[in-house]
């Protein structure tokens, strides 16, 4: 990476942040390794939900414990609140679970911040299965509606509407 560091200020910044995190990351990894083993990192994944819907994504990390798997998504910025994850409003983790076939026991965010590495939200068990299946059904029904020419409904919440050029006209 010497050449990248030589002429890229951003890469030097990330290196400095990473060097500060290494002790905390090693501690977190030692604790996690008591149950989970790293299987894949930066895993390019694709899976068809049906004949019309193909999901594609890159998973930061896939771990295994026997025949079960866990998905870890590293976050260096804002992490969705657990309340939003549980309510199905933050769909990234359930979509990650949809991307993998097999026994996904857990999906979680791991926050890398300052000199701390910590679990910052996630899903497992029945809650994971329920949200994963619900998100999959929503994706399929939205795709079918779009294919049938139906307009997408307005979300109507401030976080979504602030990105829309129709803000102020809609609702």
């Amino acid at each position: 990476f010497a050449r990248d560091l030589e002429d890229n200020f951003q890469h030097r910044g990330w290196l400095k942040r990473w060097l500060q995190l290494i002790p905390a990351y090693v501690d977190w990894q030692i604790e996690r390794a008591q149950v989970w083993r790293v299987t894949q990192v930066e895993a390019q994944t694709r899976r068809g939900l049906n004949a019309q819907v193909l999901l594609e994504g890159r998973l930061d990390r896939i771990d295994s414990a026997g025949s079960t798997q866990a998905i870890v998504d590293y976050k260096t910025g804002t992490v969705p609140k657990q309340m939003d994850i549980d309510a199905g409003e933050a769909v990234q983790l359930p979509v990650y679970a949809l991307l993998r076939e097999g026994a996904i026991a857990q999906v979680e965010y791991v926050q890398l911040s300052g000199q701390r590495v910590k679990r910052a939200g996630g899903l497992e068990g029945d809650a994971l299965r329920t949200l994963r299946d619900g998100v999959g059904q929503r994706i399929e029904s939205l795709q079918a509606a779009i294919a049938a020419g139906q307009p997408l409904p307005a979300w109507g919440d401030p976080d979504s509407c602030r990105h829309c050029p129709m803000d102020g006209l809609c609702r």
Side-chain angles (χ1 to χ4, degrees):
F1 299 105
R3 185 175 291 155
D4 278 345
L5 292 173
E6 206 173 273
D7 62 358
N8 190 311
F9 180 76
Q10 186 177 18
H11 289 178
R12 288 193 303 267
W14 281 111
L15 174 62
K16 183 176 180 179
R17 287 182 70 183
W18 176 241
L19 291 173
Q20 292 173 342
L21 274 169
I22 288 174
Y25 184 83
V26 168
D27 290 343
W28 173 84
Q29 178 57 41
I30 288 169
E31 185 177 328
R32 184 163 177 87
Q34 293 175 23
V35 176
W36 298 102
R37 300 288 181 251
V38 177
T39 305
Q40 284 182 277
V41 294
E42 302 285 325
Q44 294 291 343
T45 310
R46 63 179 7 193
R47 178 173 176 230
L49 284 185
N50 60 34
Q52 290 78 36
V53 178
L54 175 67
L55 295 177
E56 294 186 60
R58 183 190 51 78
L59 306 175
D60 287 348
R61 175 175 163 163
I62 302 168
D63 290 352
S64 64
S67 62
T68 60
Q69 294 181 333
I71 298 169
V72 173
D73 186 61
Y74 296 112
K75 292 290 188 197
T76 57
T78 305
V79 178
K81 295 179 178 89
Q82 186 66 47
M83 178 177 66
D84 292 335
I85 296 168
D86 292 338
E89 293 298 321
V91 298
Q92 183 179 10
L93 295 178
V95 168
Y96 282 174
L98 280 171
L99 278 167
R100 295 293 292 186
E101 303 224 26
I104 303 297
Q106 168 186 102
V107 289
E108 67 180 332
Y109 295 119
V110 171
Q111 189 169 34
L112 309 172
S113 176
Q115 294 179 10
R116 293 185 319 157
V117 176
K118 67 174 186 161
R119 184 180 198 270
L123 293 165
E124 55 190 272
D126 289 338
L128 171 58
R129 286 184 287 280
T130 299
L131 284 172
R132 176 201 63 203
D133 295 346
V135 167
Q137 289 170 357
R138 284 191 335 212
I139 291 170
E140 289 185 67
S141 64
L142 278 172
Q143 188 279 329
I146 292 168
Q150 294 178 11
L152 293 174
W155 285 57
D157 69 282
D159 284 341
S160 298
C161 291
R162 69 186 168 97
H163 298 289
C164 179
M166 297 299 144
D167 183 35
L169 296 175
C170 181
R171 293 197 184 222

